[in-house]
Amino acid sequence: MSRLHARQLRLLIAVAEHGSLLAAADRVGLTQPGASKALKELETTLNAALFMRTNRGLVPTQAGQCAVRFARLIQSDIGRLQQELGAIASGAGGRIAVGTIMGAVPLLTRALTRLMEWQPDLSVELVEDTSESLLALIDQGRLDAAICRLSVSPRPHLYDAVVVKEESLAVIAHQSHPAAGLPSITLQDLSANRWVVYRAHMPMRRTLEREFFEEDLFFPAHLIETTSALATLSLLSHDPNLVALVSDDVADYVCRHGLVARLPLRLKSRSEPYELIARRNAHRHPALVLLTEALQALQAVPDPA
């Protein structure tokens, strides 16, 4: 492993991204013969064939996929080292990158507000996406941690996870939705509505499907699928017949600000809990420890905003 060089790792990533040795060589500043030699040396060092030739170009083998994943992590860690050293030299507090699923946005933003009060020189990158996409960004070293769900991963042993909150769900709609002023409704009352939902196989979507199944109702066929909170709210604001399933935290926030109404539907199911997930055995920025403390302290505290 001492024979590995940074340029070899950059070449490995470039070949995987471009599928072409010539394009990869140009990306890392090598001639094609030099790139071919460097790739052969890398395969000899690792004692494995890393790419195979196909009609689509060079495609990573299983060993190649593993090597590329670790090369990206090494490159990301070196990049973070440069950032933190630069921050120390300038007197700033460094930088962390944190991801979140839509339902946890209100909780995480409250925690980040508290964290930045404790660490005023800290820079933060915040990414909202699905659990699946956030775990992929953690794998690539692009996120330090994310609030999402480990249950979507086929390789949960690669991560450390801390439960930060049990999630409950709510149904929201335009304020003029026919059910908005009623004392209570059933799921059947909403079965004819068009639903705004997460895509199939995501935990919140599975929860809604289970609710319909247990009520012996057909799941709505004409859905609008999105992972964007802004898209969901914009859709609801334009169509009084739409309804959406969101976390209680999101429902509380948007209803308190008069953006939509919570419908009086009591759901039987609870969604899976949120977890703060990071790569196992990876370097932990000190700010992540403080963020974990802030998240756990805010679990049972209502949002005053």
Side-chain angles (χ1 to χ4, degrees):
M1 290 300 152
S2 62
R3 293 161 57 194
L4 287 174
H5 300 289
R7 180 169 286 186
Q8 289 176 319
L9 298 180
R10 293 200 303 273
L11 176 65
L12 177 64
I13 295 169
V15 174
E17 290 177 349
H18 293 282
S20 162
L21 191 60
L22 179 60
D26 184 63
R27 171 85 171 269
V28 300
L30 289 171
T31 63
Q32 187 169 4
S36 180
K37 180 181 177 183
L39 184 57
K40 287 180 180 177
E41 289 175 348
L42 185 57
E43 290 182 320
T44 299
T45 299
L46 299 178
N47 193 30
L50 301 179
F51 294 92
M52 55 185 175
R53 293 190 177 277
T54 71
N55 56 5
R56 294 180 289 118
L58 292 174
V59 176
T61 62
Q62 186 175 359
Q65 292 173 358
C66 177
V68 169
R69 182 165 61 88
F70 276 93
R72 283 180 171 140
L73 291 174
I74 292 168
Q75 191 176 60
S76 176
D77 286 343
I78 292 173
R80 283 205 167 81
L81 170 63
Q82 292 174 325
Q83 290 169 353
E84 291 199 28
L85 288 176
I88 291 170
S90 66
R95 175 184 180 277
I96 59 170
V98 184
T100 179
I101 54 178
M102 179 177 70
V105 168
L107 176 64
L108 178 58
T109 52
R110 291 168 62 203
L112 286 175
T113 299
R114 181 171 292 192
L115 174 62
M116 289 183 289
E117 290 173 354
W118 297 337
Q119 299 281 324
D121 295 325
L122 181 70
S123 297
V124 180
E125 177 185 0
L126 180 58
V127 177
E128 181 190 341
D129 214 320
T130 64
S131 293
E132 185 178 23
S133 296
L134 294 172
L135 291 175
L137 292 175
I138 290 174
D139 290 344
Q140 296 164 18
R142 298 181 184 180
L143 291 179
D144 294 292
I147 299 182
C148 55
R149 296 184 177 93
L150 197 53
S151 62
V152 305
S153 173
R155 301 176 297 173
H157 60 280
L158 296 180
Y159 310 95
D160 290 324
V162 177
V163 173
V164 295
K165 188 174 184 183
E166 296 289 335
E167 184 188 42
S168 54
L169 303 175
V171 178
I172 58 174
H174 192 282
Q175 290 181 325
S176 64
H177 188 280
L182 300 177
S184 66
I185 57 173
T186 66
L187 194 59
Q188 187 170 7
D189 296 326
L190 301 178
S191 60
N193 283 103
R194 186 187 292 266
W195 285 74
V196 182
V197 296
Y198 266 32
R199 65 175 180 262
H201 310 302
M202 299 307 294
M204 193 180 293
R205 170 72 169 272
R206 293 199 302 262
T207 299
L208 184 61
E209 290 172 347
R210 186 166 61 248
E211 288 277 333
F212 272 87
F213 176 78
E214 291 177 354
E215 294 294 324
D216 199 24
L217 297 171
F218 288 110
F219 192 69
H222 306 295
L223 303 168
I224 300 176
E225 297 179 332
T226 180
T227 60
S228 167
L230 180 58
T232 299
L233 292 174
S234 183
L235 286 164
L236 295 180
S237 71
H238 286 91
D239 189 343
N241 295 310
L242 290 176
V243 294
L245 183 69
V246 297
S247 73
D248 256 341
D249 283 350
V250 170
D252 287 344
Y253 183 86
V254 295
C255 292
R256 187 166 52 249
H257 288 80
L259 301 175
V260 292
R262 182 195 292 258
L263 300 187
L265 175 67
R266 184 180 296 276
L267 296 170
K268 299 175 182 177
S269 303
R270 295 183 69 86
S271 189
E272 299 171 24
Y274 304 141
E275 298 162 292
L276 183 64
I277 298 171
R279 183 161 39 100
R280 180 153 292 174
N281 299 325
H283 166 71
R284 296 284 189 275
H285 192 291
L288 279 182
V289 178
L290 295 176
L291 178 62
T292 304
E293 293 176 0
L295 286 166
Q296 292 175 331
L298 290 170
Q299 281 185 45
V301 180
D303 185 356

